[in-house]
Amino acid sequence: MVEKTQCSSCLITSSTKPWVSLVLLLSFSFLSNAFDYKDALKKSVLYFEAQRSGRLPYNQRVRWRGNSGLTDGLEQGVDLVGGYYDAGDNVKFGLPMAFTVTMLSWSVIEYGEQIANSGEYEHVLEAIKWGTDYFIKAHTSPNVFWAEVGDGDTDHYCWQRPEDMTTSRQAYKIDENNPGSDLAGETAAALAAASIVFRKSNPHYSHLLLHHAQQLFEFGDKYRGAYDRSLEVVKRYYPSVSSYKDELLWGALWLYKATDNSNYFKYIINNSHEFGGTGWAITEFSWDVKYAVVNGWES
């Protein structure tokens, strides 16, 4: 079972995970010349290439990886090929994957120049787009988002390379009858943050990302509920302990930054007290808990 503070190979769970390494490497590179932070950054970005699912591109640098998961979504009649595997397993969990993309995008927004100087800028953009392309596929209608591909239980019983996997590729979705405001809010945040990243280099794609972000946020806000109550299959792996209100605030925050639409800022102000997280000490910022950053930005 994947716990928040365990599993050092997981795609994203806690402060020991790769996105934090990416941000910290960029920050600490200004403090010391004793270590080769450029090389460390390169290896951090390579990690995401090793986690790719789907048909790999011609410029894939992790050559020992091959195509995998090419029939994902086929049984459900949708195309869910792509995205990222979660850890040493072959499951695609939506909530930590979306948080990963949000944080990668934030890293580019804050440290784009430093990433470019390291020679990794295009590779980081490719890492972001690998995730956002998948989210667009998974958002098959305004109020439907495919939350997971694969089954954690059967997957963890059998250690396999994704190229050879024989375990279940069942896909699970959230919709009007099975809400998942936390997953919808986090994915909206990821797409909105990525839209900022691609605004100048690919304005059409940026607009598409923002369109999906706004739809997902509206879906999550209108049909409220925690995704792990709708999809019990995720409870043993990525339960939404903080529930969904922090993700709705987080999604609104990134949509405000991406659009400068004051309605999103008003949403944060009007709901922050009711949604919680403002009157007690926050000791965690992770794929599950977003209150700390929302509070910091709001203040």
Side-chain angles (χ1 to χ4, degrees):
M1 179 171 69
V2 179
E3 301 286 354
K4 286 189 203 175
T5 55
Q6 298 175 359
C7 185
S8 61
S9 64
C10 294
L11 181 59
I12 284 295
T13 52
S14 71
S15 59
T16 62
K17 300 305 179 272
W19 72 263
V20 177
S21 300
L22 181 60
V23 174
L24 292 180
L25 283 168
L26 290 165
S27 301
F28 294 158
S29 63
F30 302 109
L31 304 180
S32 172
N33 294 320
F35 303 99
D36 190 346
Y37 286 101
K38 181 183 292 187
D39 184 61
L41 176 61
K42 177 181 178 180
K43 289 181 170 61
S44 296
V45 178
L46 280 173
Y47 173 87
F48 294 100
E49 292 192 20
Q51 295 298 102
R52 286 173 172 171
S53 177
R55 189 171 298 279
L56 302 182
Y58 72 92
N59 61 344
Q60 171 84 5
R61 293 181 295 171
V62 182
R63 307 301 293 182
W64 47 267
R65 273 290 179 231
N67 299 331
S68 61
L70 299 183
T71 61
D72 284 357
L74 183 63
E75 293 181 17
Q76 291 74 36
V78 293
D79 179 6
L80 298 177
V81 176
Y84 287 106
Y85 296 118
D86 176 64
D89 56 45
N90 302 323
V91 185
K92 296 191 291 197
F93 289 105
L95 186 58
M97 192 193 307
F99 183 62
T100 300
V101 173
T102 308
M103 299 310 298
L104 282 171
S105 298
W106 193 4
S107 297
V108 172
I109 293 168
E110 292 291 333
Y111 299 107
E113 182 179 350
Q114 289 79 12
I115 295 174
N117 290 339
S118 75
E120 292 298 318
Y121 189 81
E122 293 301 323
H123 293 134
V124 176
L125 260 59
E126 290 172 0
I128 294 169
K129 194 172 185 295
W130 194 265
T132 54
D133 283 350
Y134 176 75
F135 298 150
I136 291 172
K137 284 185 175 183
H139 187 211
T140 51
S141 67
N143 296 338
V144 174
F145 186 78
W146 291 86
E148 178 179 330
V149 179
D151 173 68
D153 292 339
T154 58
D155 182 275
H156 285 197
Y157 289 145
C158 184
W159 190 271
Q160 292 179 311
R161 300 190 320 149
E163 296 86 351
D164 303 325
M165 61 184 169
T166 57
T167 50
S168 170
R169 300 308 290 168
Q170 175 71 34
Y172 305 87
K173 66 181 178 180
I174 55 172
D175 54 27
E176 296 174 9
N177 298 317
N178 302 280
S181 302
D182 30 24
L183 176 57
E186 181 59 63
T187 310
L191 293 168
S195 76
I196 300 173
V197 171
F198 290 102
R199 183 177 292 161
K200 292 183 179 180
S201 62
N202 194 340
H204 174 75
Y205 188 64
S206 174
H207 179 76
L208 179 63
L209 294 174
L210 196 54
H211 171 72
H212 282 276
Q214 290 170 320
Q215 282 193 343
L216 278 165
F217 179 78
E218 290 171 8
F219 164 47
D221 189 41
K222 183 175 181 179
Y223 300 96
R224 293 183 181 179
Y227 90 123
D228 62 347
R229 293 189 178 183
S230 297
L231 306 174
E232 293 194 1
V233 68
V234 305
K235 279 187 178 293
R236 290 186 59 199
Y237 301 95
Y238 290 99
S240 187
V241 178
S242 69
S243 194
Y244 61 84
K245 295 176 180 179
D246 54 328
E247 275 84 16
L248 287 179
L249 294 173
W250 178 240
L253 173 61
W254 278 107
L255 279 165
Y256 172 63
K257 290 186 68 65
T259 65
D260 203 30
N261 185 331
S262 62
N263 287 328
Y264 291 115
F265 187 72
K266 291 176 183 177
Y267 180 94
I268 299 169
I269 299 300
N270 293 338
N271 290 285
S272 59
H273 180 71
E274 177 189 351
F275 281 9
T278 58
W280 42 276
I282 306 296
T283 59
E284 176 185 351
F285 172 61
S286 70
W287 59 266
D288 181 36
V289 185
K290 317 296 168 18
Y291 285 120
V293 176
V294 173
N295 290 346
W297 240 314
E298 182 185 350
S299 60

